[in-house]
Amino acid sequence: MRVAVIGGGGREHALVRLLRRSPSVREVLALPGNDGIAADGVRCLDVDPLDLEDMCRTLAAERVDLAVVGPEAPLVAGLADRLEAAGIPVFGPRQAAARIEGSKAFAKEFMARHGIPTAPGRVFTEPAEAEDFLRRHPGPWVVKADGLAAGKGVFVCGSTGEALEAVDLLMRRGAFGDAGRRVVIEERLEGRELSVLAITDGKRLELLPPARDHKRLRDGDRGPNTGGMGAYSPVPDATPGILERVRREILEPAVAGLAEEGAAYRGVLYAGLMLTADGPRVLEFNCRLGDPEAQVILPRLEGDVARLFLAAATGRLEGTLRVRELAAVCVVLAAPGYPGKPQHDLPITGLEEAAALPGVHLYHAGTRCRAGGWVTAGGRVVAVTGLGGDLEEARRRAYGAAERIRFPGRQMRQDIAGPPAT
Ligand code: AMP
Ligand code: GLY
């Protein structure tokens, strides 16, 4: 079959690599892809994933058998609905189901309707009511913009003053436009975070190996939140007992609940969790693979993954997921200025040398290939995944390769897959 991967970051590079290994795949296309994907010999078509019209037309003209959508924004905008209407199977949820990520208010109320464990919280549309609530209840609170805000709309607050500031920023000053006019205010939970993702066809689901990402910019979980500075899989403290609870108490009720509400979910459902003393609690749902979680989960899969994705896309998922007994650690190299204003056009060296090391996968995210060589072209520049028999070996390989890739002002955490921050 011919498979189109939609998106152009490190996650999509990992998807392309994996799908090309599937025996049933004849060609993988990327839209728009990136220069690193193109350097693998993959045809990249310059189509904006948010231009739904152009995307439908292009995929139909290319006679694609399956579209795999990486990022959330086109799904929330209704890309899957449009492609399905054009007769193209899509691995990724329709708009109604993608609301589980697209609206945190919807997700919060959905979880309440279906008894899915999450931080107690409330939805507010009036700033005065939110402020009044915060003044009357001591917290600590987390304030979240309702809509998509590229991972920047969540404020974990240490005091009532901070929470009031977040409400002011989102609801009164409109820092995220319409995305922040409505907010969720929820209790701040304590524990370690875990990402558990599942492939589902709307009825059945297959858990992917669990992963943990590191969201803060600097070592020891300090500095601003980012899209993710690294990840690892498996996660030793995600015991089979915990994963079974996540399946039974969270993912199965979510899939069943969406179907019951007429929004059957197809694709990857991502549960971002806090492992609290009372058990796993949902912090957020995402309607897609995580980035950089994909860069540690996908290299661990084997078999005909394209066929598995197609089965999920067409409502016929069977128990066919195969996972390699390998550990994976991914280290992200970010441009100076990230996550604010990343600096572009900085020369990058060492990519080929790093990619040639055993047990190493390089996934391009924000790079560009110029006549003179590779330069930075985004915030997260490359994701370096090391594979090994255990996390220690995977980590050594990831850092061994990452150290060889250089550009001015390179930002890289040294503690990915290390012991928990204290
Ligand atoms: P979200 O996009 O909702 O996952 O939030 C982004 C990050 O904010 C999470 O990965 C957590 O680190 C943090 N966070 C979100 N909700 C909570 C909560 N209720 N308690 C503590 N931390 C949270
Ligand atoms: N790494 C977190 C996310 O993709 O949302």
PDB file of all heavy atoms in Angstrom, residues 388-421:
ATOM      1  N   GLY A 388      18.980  -0.093  23.246  1.00  0.00           N
ATOM      2  CA  GLY A 388      19.900  -0.995  23.936  1.00  0.00           C
ATOM      3  C   GLY A 388      19.145  -2.079  24.667  1.00  0.00           C
ATOM      4  O   GLY A 388      17.916  -2.078  24.713  1.00  0.00           O
ATOM      5  N   GLY A 389      19.924  -2.996  25.265  1.00  0.00           N
ATOM      6  CA  GLY A 389      19.315  -4.098  26.007  1.00  0.00           C
ATOM      7  C   GLY A 389      18.638  -3.607  27.278  1.00  0.00           C
ATOM      8  O   GLY A 389      17.701  -4.223  27.769  1.00  0.00           O
ATOM      9  N   ASP A 390      19.141  -2.501  27.826  1.00  0.00           N
ATOM     10  CA  ASP A 390      18.482  -1.889  28.986  1.00  0.00           C
ATOM     11  C   ASP A 390      18.601  -0.372  28.860  1.00  0.00           C
ATOM     12  O   ASP A 390      19.254   0.142  27.940  1.00  0.00           O
ATOM     13  CB  ASP A 390      19.090  -2.403  30.299  1.00  0.00           C
ATOM     14  CG  ASP A 390      20.601  -2.174  30.361  1.00  0.00           C
ATOM     15  OD1 ASP A 390      21.096  -1.249  29.685  1.00  0.00           O
ATOM     16  OD2 ASP A 390      21.281  -2.920  31.078  1.00  0.00           O
ATOM     17  N   LEU A 391      17.957   0.336  29.787  1.00  0.00           N
ATOM     18  CA  LEU A 391      17.931   1.798  29.683  1.00  0.00           C
ATOM     19  C   LEU A 391      19.332   2.382  29.764  1.00  0.00           C
ATOM     20  O   LEU A 391      19.635   3.384  29.098  1.00  0.00           O
ATOM     21  CB  LEU A 391      17.037   2.395  30.776  1.00  0.00           C
ATOM     22  CG  LEU A 391      15.534   2.255  30.536  1.00  0.00           C
ATOM     23  CD1 LEU A 391      14.753   2.649  31.787  1.00  0.00           C
ATOM     24  CD2 LEU A 391      15.069   3.101  29.347  1.00  0.00           C
ATOM     25  N   GLU A 392      20.198   1.765  30.562  1.00  0.00           N
ATOM     26  CA  GLU A 392      21.547   2.288  30.715  1.00  0.00           C
ATOM     27  C   GLU A 392      22.290   2.268  29.376  1.00  0.00           C
ATOM     28  O   GLU A 392      22.929   3.251  28.981  1.00  0.00           O
ATOM     29  CB  GLU A 392      22.285   1.460  31.791  1.00  0.00           C
ATOM     30  CG  GLU A 392      23.494   2.135  32.383  1.00  0.00           C
ATOM     31  CD  GLU A 392      23.351   3.644  32.545  1.00  0.00           C
ATOM     32  OE1 GLU A 392      22.391   4.089  33.208  1.00  0.00           O
ATOM     33  OE2 GLU A 392      24.202   4.396  32.000  1.00  0.00           O
ATOM     34  N   GLU A 393      22.190   1.149  28.684  1.00  0.00           N
ATOM     35  CA  GLU A 393      22.868   1.038  27.394  1.00  0.00           C
ATOM     36  C   GLU A 393      22.245   2.000  26.366  1.00  0.00           C
ATOM     37  O   GLU A 393      22.949   2.670  25.599  1.00  0.00           O
ATOM     38  CB  GLU A 393      22.785  -0.402  26.882  1.00  0.00           C
ATOM     39  CG  GLU A 393      23.581  -0.614  25.607  1.00  0.00           C
ATOM     40  CD  GLU A 393      23.475  -2.038  25.060  1.00  0.00           C
ATOM     41  OE1 GLU A 393      22.413  -2.670  25.221  1.00  0.00           O
ATOM     42  OE2 GLU A 393      24.469  -2.506  24.475  1.00  0.00           O
ATOM     43  N   ALA A 394      20.918   2.074  26.384  1.00  0.00           N
ATOM     44  CA  ALA A 394      20.219   2.967  25.439  1.00  0.00           C
ATOM     45  C   ALA A 394      20.637   4.414  25.683  1.00  0.00           C
ATOM     46  O   ALA A 394      20.873   5.189  24.755  1.00  0.00           O
ATOM     47  CB  ALA A 394      18.708   2.799  25.601  1.00  0.00           C
ATOM     48  N   ARG A 395      20.735   4.758  26.957  1.00  0.00           N
ATOM     49  CA  ARG A 395      21.100   6.113  27.355  1.00  0.00           C
ATOM     50  C   ARG A 395      22.529   6.444  26.913  1.00  0.00           C
ATOM     51  O   ARG A 395      22.813   7.518  26.368  1.00  0.00           O
ATOM     52  CB  ARG A 395      20.990   6.170  28.879  1.00  0.00           C
ATOM     53  CG  ARG A 395      21.164   7.490  29.493  1.00  0.00           C
ATOM     54  CD  ARG A 395      20.757   7.399  30.973  1.00  0.00           C
ATOM     55  NE  ARG A 395      20.636   8.736  31.487  1.00  0.00           N
ATOM     56  CZ  ARG A 395      21.634   9.386  32.081  1.00  0.00           C
ATOM     57  NH1 ARG A 395      22.793   8.785  32.266  1.00  0.00           N
ATOM     58  NH2 ARG A 395      21.473  10.614  32.488  1.00  0.00           N
ATOM     59  N   ARG A 396      23.444   5.483  27.119  1.00  0.00           N
ATOM     60  CA  ARG A 396      24.835   5.695  26.720  1.00  0.00           C
ATOM     61  C   ARG A 396      24.921   5.940  25.218  1.00  0.00           C
ATOM     62  O   ARG A 396      25.629   6.822  24.746  1.00  0.00           O
ATOM     63  CB  ARG A 396      25.660   4.464  27.111  1.00  0.00           C
ATOM     64  CG  ARG A 396      26.866   4.801  27.917  1.00  0.00           C
ATOM     65  CD  ARG A 396      27.735   3.645  28.363  1.00  0.00           C
ATOM     66  NE  ARG A 396      27.473   2.359  27.784  1.00  0.00           N
ATOM     67  CZ  ARG A 396      26.936   1.327  28.444  1.00  0.00           C
ATOM     68  NH1 ARG A 396      26.580   1.465  29.710  1.00  0.00           N
ATOM     69  NH2 ARG A 396      26.746   0.170  27.846  1.00  0.00           N
ATOM     70  N   ARG A 397      24.171   5.154  24.473  1.00  0.00           N
ATOM     71  CA  ARG A 397      24.208   5.309  23.009  1.00  0.00           C
ATOM     72  C   ARG A 397      23.600   6.630  22.569  1.00  0.00           C
ATOM     73  O   ARG A 397      24.131   7.307  21.683  1.00  0.00           O
ATOM     74  CB  ARG A 397      23.446   4.153  22.358  1.00  0.00           C
ATOM     75  CG  ARG A 397      24.263   2.884  22.410  1.00  0.00           C
ATOM     76  CD  ARG A 397      23.561   1.772  21.707  1.00  0.00           C
ATOM     77  NE  ARG A 397      24.502   0.698  21.449  1.00  0.00           N
ATOM     78  CZ  ARG A 397      24.142  -0.561  21.243  1.00  0.00           C
ATOM     79  NH1 ARG A 397      22.858  -0.900  21.251  1.00  0.00           N
ATOM     80  NH2 ARG A 397      25.050  -1.476  21.005  1.00  0.00           N
ATOM     81  N   ALA A 398      22.485   7.005  23.196  1.00  0.00           N
ATOM     82  CA  ALA A 398      21.837   8.268  22.812  1.00  0.00           C
ATOM     83  C   ALA A 398      22.780   9.441  23.078  1.00  0.00           C
ATOM     84  O   ALA A 398      22.989  10.296  22.204  1.00  0.00           O
ATOM     85  CB  ALA A 398      20.529   8.440  23.581  1.00  0.00           C
ATOM     86  N   TYR A 399      23.372   9.474  24.263  1.00  0.00           N
ATOM     87  CA  TYR A 399      24.272  10.598  24.581  1.00  0.00           C
ATOM     88  C   TYR A 399      25.563  10.541  23.774  1.00  0.00           C
ATOM     89  O   TYR A 399      26.106  11.582  23.380  1.00  0.00           O
ATOM     90  CB  TYR A 399      24.547  10.677  26.083  1.00  0.00           C
ATOM     91  CG  TYR A 399      23.437  11.402  26.823  1.00  0.00           C
ATOM     92  CD1 TYR A 399      22.540  10.729  27.639  1.00  0.00           C
ATOM     93  CD2 TYR A 399      23.290  12.782  26.671  1.00  0.00           C
ATOM     94  CE1 TYR A 399      21.518  11.411  28.297  1.00  0.00           C
ATOM     95  CE2 TYR A 399      22.277  13.464  27.323  1.00  0.00           C
ATOM     96  CZ  TYR A 399      21.394  12.775  28.132  1.00  0.00           C
ATOM     97  OH  TYR A 399      20.391  13.459  28.768  1.00  0.00           O
ATOM     98  N   GLY A 400      26.065   9.314  23.522  1.00  0.00           N
ATOM     99  CA  GLY A 400      27.272   9.179  22.703  1.00  0.00           C
ATOM    100  C   GLY A 400      27.070   9.820  21.341  1.00  0.00           C
ATOM    101  O   GLY A 400      27.958  10.504  20.815  1.00  0.00           O
ATOM    102  N   ALA A 401      25.897   9.627  20.773  1.00  0.00           N
ATOM    103  CA  ALA A 401      25.599  10.203  19.457  1.00  0.00           C
ATOM    104  C   ALA A 401      25.276  11.693  19.571  1.00  0.00           C
ATOM    105  O   ALA A 401      25.745  12.511  18.772  1.00  0.00           O
ATOM    106  CB  ALA A 401      24.429   9.453  18.819  1.00  0.00           C
ATOM    107  N   ALA A 402      24.487  12.039  20.584  1.00  0.00           N
ATOM    108  CA  ALA A 402      24.060  13.441  20.725  1.00  0.00           C
ATOM    109  C   ALA A 402      25.265  14.360  20.904  1.00  0.00           C
ATOM    110  O   ALA A 402      25.296  15.465  20.354  1.00  0.00           O
ATOM    111  CB  ALA A 402      23.105  13.576  21.908  1.00  0.00           C
ATOM    112  N   GLU A 403      26.284  13.889  21.653  1.00  0.00           N
ATOM    113  CA  GLU A 403      27.465  14.712  21.896  1.00  0.00           C
ATOM    114  C   GLU A 403      28.207  15.061  20.604  1.00  0.00           C
ATOM    115  O   GLU A 403      28.934  16.041  20.547  1.00  0.00           O
ATOM    116  CB  GLU A 403      28.449  13.985  22.835  1.00  0.00           C
ATOM    117  CG  GLU A 403      27.979  13.851  24.268  1.00  0.00           C
ATOM    118  CD  GLU A 403      27.882  15.199  24.995  1.00  0.00           C
ATOM    119  OE1 GLU A 403      28.251  16.230  24.399  1.00  0.00           O
ATOM    120  OE2 GLU A 403      27.415  15.189  26.154  1.00  0.00           O
ATOM    121  N   ARG A 404      28.060  14.236  19.584  1.00  0.00           N
ATOM    122  CA  ARG A 404      28.786  14.505  18.329  1.00  0.00           C
ATOM    123  C   ARG A 404      28.100  15.531  17.443  1.00  0.00           C
ATOM    124  O   ARG A 404      28.679  16.020  16.480  1.00  0.00           O
ATOM    125  CB  ARG A 404      28.934  13.208  17.539  1.00  0.00           C
ATOM    126  CG  ARG A 404      29.890  12.273  18.236  1.00  0.00           C
ATOM    127  CD  ARG A 404      29.975  10.969  17.523  1.00  0.00           C
ATOM    128  NE  ARG A 404      30.430   9.983  18.488  1.00  0.00           N
ATOM    129  CZ  ARG A 404      31.421   9.140  18.284  1.00  0.00           C
ATOM    130  NH1 ARG A 404      32.037   9.131  17.130  1.00  0.00           N
ATOM    131  NH2 ARG A 404      31.777   8.298  19.216  1.00  0.00           N
ATOM    132  N   ILE A 405      26.830  15.807  17.748  1.00  0.00           N
ATOM    133  CA  ILE A 405      26.087  16.765  16.917  1.00  0.00           C
ATOM    134  C   ILE A 405      26.226  18.142  17.548  1.00  0.00           C
ATOM    135  O   ILE A 405      25.863  18.342  18.701  1.00  0.00           O
ATOM    136  CB  ILE A 405      24.610  16.357  16.820  1.00  0.00           C
ATOM    137  CG1 ILE A 405      24.503  14.945  16.247  1.00  0.00           C
ATOM    138  CG2 ILE A 405      23.824  17.357  15.975  1.00  0.00           C
ATOM    139  CD1 ILE A 405      23.123  14.349  16.351  1.00  0.00           C
ATOM    140  N   ARG A 406      26.777  19.063  16.766  1.00  0.00           N
ATOM    141  CA  ARG A 406      27.082  20.368  17.353  1.00  0.00           C
ATOM    142  C   ARG A 406      26.475  21.497  16.538  1.00  0.00           C
ATOM    143  O   ARG A 406      26.423  21.438  15.324  1.00  0.00           O
ATOM    144  CB  ARG A 406      28.599  20.573  17.435  1.00  0.00           C
ATOM    145  CG  ARG A 406      29.267  19.453  18.209  1.00  0.00           C
ATOM    146  CD  ARG A 406      30.594  19.888  18.822  1.00  0.00           C
ATOM    147  NE  ARG A 406      30.927  18.942  19.866  1.00  0.00           N
ATOM    148  CZ  ARG A 406      30.700  19.144  21.157  1.00  0.00           C
ATOM    149  NH1 ARG A 406      30.179  20.276  21.570  1.00  0.00           N
ATOM    150  NH2 ARG A 406      31.013  18.222  22.052  1.00  0.00           N
ATOM    151  N   PHE A 407      26.018  22.511  17.267  1.00  0.00           N
ATOM    152  CA  PHE A 407      25.669  23.801  16.659  1.00  0.00           C
ATOM    153  C   PHE A 407      25.747  24.849  17.763  1.00  0.00           C
ATOM    154  O   PHE A 407      25.624  24.511  18.947  1.00  0.00           O
ATOM    155  CB  PHE A 407      24.303  23.776  15.968  1.00  0.00           C
ATOM    156  CG  PHE A 407      23.178  23.213  16.778  1.00  0.00           C
ATOM    157  CD1 PHE A 407      22.429  24.025  17.624  1.00  0.00           C
ATOM    158  CD2 PHE A 407      22.838  21.861  16.685  1.00  0.00           C
ATOM    159  CE1 PHE A 407      21.369  23.503  18.370  1.00  0.00           C
ATOM    160  CE2 PHE A 407      21.788  21.327  17.434  1.00  0.00           C
ATOM    161  CZ  PHE A 407      21.054  22.153  18.273  1.00  0.00           C
ATOM    162  N   PRO A 408      25.961  26.105  17.391  1.00  0.00           N
ATOM    163  CA  PRO A 408      26.149  27.140  18.417  1.00  0.00           C
ATOM    164  C   PRO A 408      24.926  27.223  19.328  1.00  0.00           C
ATOM    165  O   PRO A 408      23.794  27.226  18.847  1.00  0.00           O
ATOM    166  CB  PRO A 408      26.305  28.431  17.591  1.00  0.00           C
ATOM    167  CG  PRO A 408      26.687  27.981  16.215  1.00  0.00           C
ATOM    168  CD  PRO A 408      26.087  26.630  16.018  1.00  0.00           C
ATOM    169  N   GLY A 409      25.168  27.245  20.637  1.00  0.00           N
ATOM    170  CA  GLY A 409      24.082  27.454  21.596  1.00  0.00           C
ATOM    171  C   GLY A 409      23.195  26.240  21.811  1.00  0.00           C
ATOM    172  O   GLY A 409      22.109  26.372  22.387  1.00  0.00           O
ATOM    173  N   ARG A 410      23.662  25.081  21.361  1.00  0.00           N
ATOM    174  CA  ARG A 410      22.869  23.846  21.493  1.00  0.00           C
ATOM    175  C   ARG A 410      22.353  23.654  22.923  1.00  0.00           C
ATOM    176  O   ARG A 410      23.114  23.745  23.876  1.00  0.00           O
ATOM    177  CB  ARG A 410      23.773  22.669  21.109  1.00  0.00           C
ATOM    178  CG  ARG A 410      23.115  21.316  21.172  1.00  0.00           C
ATOM    179  CD  ARG A 410      24.152  20.222  21.037  1.00  0.00           C
ATOM    180  NE  ARG A 410      24.920  20.096  22.290  1.00  0.00           N
ATOM    181  CZ  ARG A 410      25.867  19.193  22.507  1.00  0.00           C
ATOM    182  NH1 ARG A 410      26.205  18.350  21.558  1.00  0.00           N
ATOM    183  NH2 ARG A 410      26.497  19.146  23.658  1.00  0.00           N
ATOM    184  N   GLN A 411      21.070  23.382  23.073  1.00  0.00           N
ATOM    185  CA  GLN A 411      20.504  23.087  24.386  1.00  0.00           C
ATOM    186  C   GLN A 411      20.177  21.598  24.454  1.00  0.00           C
ATOM    187  O   GLN A 411      19.500  21.071  23.573  1.00  0.00           O
ATOM    188  CB  GLN A 411      19.227  23.886  24.633  1.00  0.00           C
ATOM    189  CG  GLN A 411      19.393  25.394  24.511  1.00  0.00           C
ATOM    190  CD  GLN A 411      18.194  26.128  25.092  1.00  0.00           C
ATOM    191  OE1 GLN A 411      18.070  26.258  26.311  1.00  0.00           O
ATOM    192  NE2 GLN A 411      17.311  26.600  24.228  1.00  0.00           N
ATOM    193  N   MET A 412      20.670  20.946  25.535  1.00  0.00           N
ATOM    194  CA  MET A 412      20.448  19.505  25.675  1.00  0.00           C
ATOM    195  C   MET A 412      20.437  19.162  27.154  1.00  0.00           C
ATOM    196  O   MET A 412      21.326  19.575  27.890  1.00  0.00           O
ATOM    197  CB  MET A 412      21.585  18.768  24.967  1.00  0.00           C
ATOM    198  CG  MET A 412      21.644  17.287  25.223  1.00  0.00           C
ATOM    199  SD  MET A 412      22.914  16.500  24.191  1.00  0.00           S
ATOM    200  CE  MET A 412      24.294  16.443  25.324  1.00  0.00           C
ATOM    201  N   ARG A 413      19.421  18.452  27.611  1.00  0.00           N
ATOM    202  CA  ARG A 413      19.431  18.000  29.004  1.00  0.00           C
ATOM    203  C   ARG A 413      20.383  16.827  29.159  1.00  0.00           C
ATOM    204  O   ARG A 413      20.510  15.995  28.261  1.00  0.00           O
ATOM    205  CB  ARG A 413      18.011  17.622  29.441  1.00  0.00           C
ATOM    206  CG  ARG A 413      17.208  18.844  29.858  1.00  0.00           C
ATOM    207  CD  ARG A 413      15.843  18.495  30.355  1.00  0.00           C
ATOM    208  NE  ARG A 413      15.873  17.663  31.562  1.00  0.00           N
ATOM    209  CZ  ARG A 413      14.847  17.557  32.410  1.00  0.00           C
ATOM    210  NH1 ARG A 413      13.722  18.231  32.188  1.00  0.00           N
ATOM    211  NH2 ARG A 413      14.945  16.771  33.469  1.00  0.00           N
ATOM    212  N   GLN A 414      21.045  16.766  30.315  1.00  0.00           N
ATOM    213  CA  GLN A 414      22.007  15.697  30.577  1.00  0.00           C
ATOM    214  C   GLN A 414      21.380  14.570  31.386  1.00  0.00           C
ATOM    215  O   GLN A 414      22.038  13.567  31.648  1.00  0.00           O
ATOM    216  CB  GLN A 414      23.214  16.258  31.356  1.00  0.00           C
ATOM    217  CG  GLN A 414      24.001  17.331  30.626  1.00  0.00           C
ATOM    218  CD  GLN A 414      24.790  16.776  29.443  1.00  0.00           C
ATOM    219  OE1 GLN A 414      24.997  15.567  29.334  1.00  0.00           O
ATOM    220  NE2 GLN A 414      25.203  17.658  28.543  1.00  0.00           N
ATOM    221  N   ASP A 415      20.124  14.741  31.798  1.00  0.00           N
ATOM    222  CA  ASP A 415      19.560  13.797  32.779  1.00  0.00           C
ATOM    223  C   ASP A 415      18.351  13.026  32.256  1.00  0.00           C
ATOM    224  O   ASP A 415      17.526  12.568  33.043  1.00  0.00           O
ATOM    225  CB  ASP A 415      19.190  14.550  34.061  1.00  0.00           C
ATOM    226  CG  ASP A 415      18.116  15.612  33.835  1.00  0.00           C
ATOM    227  OD1 ASP A 415      17.809  15.921  32.657  1.00  0.00           O
ATOM    228  OD2 ASP A 415      17.568  16.122  34.825  1.00  0.00           O
ATOM    229  N   ILE A 416      18.270  12.880  30.926  1.00  0.00           N
ATOM    230  CA  ILE A 416      17.146  12.101  30.369  1.00  0.00           C
ATOM    231  C   ILE A 416      17.297  10.643  30.808  1.00  0.00           C
ATOM    232  O   ILE A 416      18.379  10.070  30.700  1.00  0.00           O
ATOM    233  CB  ILE A 416      17.122  12.196  28.823  1.00  0.00           C
ATOM    234  CG1 ILE A 416      17.064  13.652  28.353  1.00  0.00           C
ATOM    235  CG2 ILE A 416      15.946  11.385  28.258  1.00  0.00           C
ATOM    236  CD1 ILE A 416      15.900  14.461  28.838  1.00  0.00           C
ATOM    237  N   ALA A 417      16.216  10.074  31.308  1.00  0.00           N
ATOM    238  CA  ALA A 417      16.192   8.689  31.803  1.00  0.00           C
ATOM    239  C   ALA A 417      17.065   8.511  33.037  1.00  0.00           C
ATOM    240  O   ALA A 417      17.392   7.387  33.411  1.00  0.00           O
ATOM    241  CB  ALA A 417      16.595   7.683  30.716  1.00  0.00           C
ATOM    242  N   GLY A 418      17.423   9.607  33.672  1.00  0.00           N
ATOM    243  CA  GLY A 418      18.188   9.531  34.912  1.00  0.00           C
ATOM    244  C   GLY A 418      17.251   9.395  36.107  1.00  0.00           C
ATOM    245  O   GLY A 418      16.051   9.265  35.946  1.00  0.00           O
ATOM    246  N   PRO A 419      17.827   9.429  37.327  1.00  0.00           N
ATOM    247  CA  PRO A 419      16.972   9.322  38.516  1.00  0.00           C
ATOM    248  C   PRO A 419      16.036  10.517  38.631  1.00  0.00           C
ATOM    249  O   PRO A 419      16.318  11.577  38.052  1.00  0.00           O
ATOM    250  CB  PRO A 419      17.990   9.297  39.677  1.00  0.00           C
ATOM    251  CG  PRO A 419      19.283   9.731  39.111  1.00  0.00           C
ATOM    252  CD  PRO A 419      19.241   9.568  37.636  1.00  0.00           C
ATOM    253  N   PRO A 420      14.903  10.375  39.357  1.00  0.00           N
ATOM    254  CA  PRO A 420      13.935  11.465  39.441  1.00  0.00           C
ATOM    255  C   PRO A 420      14.524  12.712  40.087  1.00  0.00           C
ATOM    256  O   PRO A 420      15.405  12.611  40.949  1.00  0.00           O
ATOM    257  CB  PRO A 420      12.806  10.894  40.310  1.00  0.00           C
ATOM    258  CG  PRO A 420      13.382   9.698  40.991  1.00  0.00           C
ATOM    259  CD  PRO A 420      14.498   9.197  40.142  1.00  0.00           C
ATOM    260  N   ALA A 421      14.048  13.870  39.645  1.00  0.00           N
ATOM    261  CA  ALA A 421      14.496  15.139  40.228  1.00  0.00           C
ATOM    262  C   ALA A 421      13.980  15.214  41.654  1.00  0.00           C
ATOM    263  O   ALA A 421      12.898  14.719  41.952  1.00  0.00           O
ATOM    264  CB  ALA A 421      13.953  16.281  39.401  1.00  0.00           C
TER     265      ALA A 421
END
